[in-house]
Amino acid sequence: SELAAINGDGQWALLDQTTGEVVGREDHPHGNEFVLTFGEDWYLLEAGEVTRVMDRQSGEELWTGQVFARRNEPTPSATRIALTDSAETLVILEVDTWEAQTLELGFGRIRALSFGPNERLFAVGDADTLHIVDLEEGITLQTVPFPGVSDVHWFDEETVLIGTNNGVWATLSLDVDDLIASATESVFRTFSDQECRTYRIDPCPTLDEVRAR
């Protein structure tokens, strides 16, 4: 796939996402504004606190919104784009119609976005929590305490990979049976070294120390 990068000479460069190689250039009328996401027939442009979707051929404005959308995430099928200004508002754009769904999530400062494989579920990470949102119902299905969430990736519909701002990665099951099994297991074990690093527990306690608390 391609990325778009704005140059100061009235052109943008099309770059190969894997190699960073410039594969083409196109004229643009937008000065030094930022192109965030680039489709075959459109591009998404951030200009201060306003985000616009422009037709790539005609230059027609297809959608505009009052959102500082430096964070954006497409669905796996590229039929939707999620935008956020790292606050509490999430905007979901339908690529075919450019209709927008706005969700007031009420979370903290958003740090991570990721659509699930079925594109109905959406993972949102803030400073100390992972939230799983049902986009069709507009409700939060699960809230999992997890400090320093900075990246989220889905393995499947019930498993996510979480990256933290201190470089720790962990997998998390959203399946209730798995969570019960994990809770049962925790009765018979202490924290792992990774868990102690994630939750900043130092020194890492022994099993006897955990049971004594």
Side-chain angles (χ1 to χ4, degrees), residues 182-202:
S182 177
T184 302
E185 178 190 354
S186 69
V187 176
F188 302 100
R189 71 171 181 87
T190 186
F191 299 115
S192 67
D193 290 340
Q194 177 176 303
E195 288 168 334
C196 285
R197 288 194 298 269
T198 299
Y199 292 95
R200 297 180 175 86
I201 302 172
D202 186 22

Side-chain angles (χ1 to χ4, degrees), residues 83-125:
L83 311 173
T84 181
D85 54 6
S86 297
E88 299 181 352
T89 301
L90 185 69
V91 176
I92 308 295
L93 282 179
E94 301 289 341
V95 171
D96 289 341
T97 63
W98 299 114
E99 293 181 354
Q101 174 189 12
T102 300
L103 301 177
E104 299 295 338
L105 299 175
F107 303 153
R109 186 173 183 270
I110 296 173
R111 299 169 180 261
L113 305 171
S114 184
F115 282 98
N118 64 5
E119 303 188 1
R120 173 171 179 161
L121 300 184
F122 194 72
V124 182

Side-chain angles (χ1 to χ4, degrees), residues 27 29 107 134 142 197 202 207:
D27 293 334
F107 303 153
D134 185 318
Q142 290 178 269
R197 288 194 298 269
D202 186 22
L207 179 57

Side-chain angles (χ1 to χ4, degrees), residues 2-198:
E2 296 175 334
L3 297 177
I6 292 294
N7 296 326
D9 58 358
Q11 289 187 326
W12 62 50
L14 305 182
L15 292 89
D16 184 280
Q17 183 169 318
T18 304
T19 66
E21 178 184 0
V22 176
V23 296
R25 295 182 182 273
E26 290 186 15
D27 293 334
H28 72 82
H30 302 296
N32 290 320
E33 296 172 355
F34 293 96
V35 170
L36 302 178
T37 303
F38 202 92
E40 182 177 352
D41 302 315
W42 54 270
Y43 56 92
L44 190 146
L45 183 73
E46 179 267 303
E49 296 183 357
V50 176
T51 299
R52 294 181 286 165
V53 178
M54 310 294 293
D55 186 280
R56 185 170 168 182
Q57 301 300 321
S58 68
E60 176 189 359
E61 185 174 280
L62 303 175
W63 178 84
T64 184
Q66 298 290 323
V67 56
F68 184 58
R70 283 299 181 88
R71 289 187 180 272
N72 62 94
E73 178 75 17
T75 60
S77 65
T79 57
R80 286 174 164 178
I81 304 172
L83 311 173
T84 181
D85 54 6
S86 297
E88 299 181 352
T89 301
L90 185 69
V91 176
I92 308 295
L93 282 179
E94 301 289 341
V95 171
D96 289 341
T97 63
W98 299 114
E99 293 181 354
Q101 174 189 12
T102 300
L103 301 177
E104 299 295 338
L105 299 175
F107 303 153
R109 186 173 183 270
I110 296 173
R111 299 169 180 261
L113 305 171
S114 184
F115 282 98
N118 64 5
E119 303 188 1
R120 173 171 179 161
L121 300 184
F122 194 72
V124 182
D126 60 23
D128 54 14
T129 310
L130 176 72
H131 309 272
I132 305 299
V133 178
D134 185 318
L135 294 176
E136 292 187 10
E137 299 293 334
I139 60 174
T140 302
L141 297 178
Q142 290 178 269
T143 298
V144 182
F146 206 98
V149 177
S150 61
D151 293 283
V152 180
H153 305 278
W154 293 75
F155 282 125
D156 53 46
E157 294 182 8
E158 296 180 343
T159 313
V160 294
L161 174 67
I162 303 173
T164 68
N165 55 13
N166 60 5
V168 174
W169 290 86
T171 57
L172 176 67
S173 174
L174 305 176
D175 182 84
V176 174
D177 290 338
D178 286 348
L179 292 178
I180 293 174
S182 177
T184 302
E185 178 190 354
S186 69
V187 176
F188 302 100
R189 71 171 181 87
T190 186
F191 299 115
S192 67
D193 290 340
Q194 177 176 303
E195 288 168 334
C196 285
R197 288 194 298 269
T198 299

